[in-house]
Amino acid sequence: MTRKMSRYMILLLSTAIVLGGCQAGKTTDSDSAAAGSPAGAEQEYHAAGDTPGEHDHLHHASGDLREVTASIEELPTFLDGAVSEMRTIYALAAQVSDVLEYMPCYCGCGDSAGHQSNLNCFIHEIREDGSVEWDDHGTRCGVCLDIAVESALMRSDGMHLSDIRAAIDEKYKTGYAAPTRTPLPPAES
């Protein structure tokens, strides 16, 4: 895909999705159940059986649904009924994971879900064997989606990570939740 076409796709995505805000401020039964657990401790509940297998859904204590696929090219089944734009943004997030890991999220997911960056709204972990643990948080959060698409667009325009980070921080510093505790990007030459 050419850079111009990629930019066009990203622009289309950014205008095509109109979603409600995150569920970060709302308390769910699973949040209440996990309230007694130590901060940052993960509690996962398997949809079927005690041992995770292919495409088992894992429920995180925050209420987010997680699913492991064999590779970054294979999207999670929780996106099967989603609009094509949502599937495309998840695929885009995977393609620019090296950018999103340095972009904070401003939806409140740092506190509510323990996320460390905007990448965690889509991908919890890319494992050494190439498998991916996806997170469905981004399916319910317009702020998460906007930051991912804007970051990808700026990167496709050739911006350095530090400039993208500065632009995201500036845009979301007022009127949004506290940012995730995201490390600064490495210096680029």
Side-chain angles (χ1 to χ4, degrees):
M1 184 180 308
T2 67
R3 183 174 161 184
K4 186 175 182 177
M5 180 59 108
S6 176
R7 180 177 167 75
Y8 177 73
M9 292 272 304
I10 293 169
L11 283 171
L12 271 176
L13 288 172
S14 65
T15 58
I17 294 189
V18 178
L19 294 173
C22 290
Q23 302 294 320
K26 297 181 180 175
T27 303
T28 64
D29 291 340
S30 61
D31 291 337
S32 299
S37 64
E42 290 190 14
Q43 294 181 357
E44 296 179 344
Y45 305 95
H46 302 282
D50 294 324
T51 307
E54 185 177 356
H55 299 291
D56 277 349
H57 292 130
L58 307 171
H59 291 273
H60 186 265
S62 68
D64 289 350
L65 180 67
R66 293 187 181 160
E67 181 180 332
V68 177
T69 63
S71 72
I72 209 156
E73 288 82 26
E74 182 182 356
L75 292 175
T77 60
F78 63 70
L79 292 174
D80 285 352
V83 295
S84 63
E85 292 87 359
M86 181 68 67
R87 295 175 59 77
T88 303
I89 291 175
Y90 264 79
L92 178 68
Q95 291 173 359
V96 295
S97 61
D98 60 329
V99 174
L100 298 185
E101 71 180 311
Y102 296 109
M103 299 306 129
C105 190
Y106 283 82
C107 77
C109 62
D111 292 331
S112 68
H115 289 177
Q116 297 298 309
S117 70
N118 182 249
L119 179 62
N120 295 143
C121 301
F122 307 94
I123 296 174
H124 175 68
E125 177 184 21
I126 300 173
R127 298 176 178 171
E128 286 185 31
D129 66 359
S131 63
V132 178
E133 186 173 344
W134 300 89
D135 193 303
D136 80 332
H137 184 87
T139 65
R140 299 179 309 280
C141 185
V143 173
C144 303
L145 295 168
D146 288 345
I147 291 171
V149 171
E150 291 163 2
S151 298
L153 181 59
M154 287 186 266
R155 189 58 167 190
S156 75
D157 284 343
M159 287 179 68
H160 290 283
L161 288 175
S162 57
D163 295 331
I164 298 169
R165 171 68 179 262
I168 294 296
D169 285 339
E170 180 62 28
K171 179 175 180 176
Y172 293 92
K173 71 180 180 183
T174 305
Y176 295 90
T180 53
R181 292 179 178 94
T182 307
L184 292 172
E188 293 178 283
S189 54

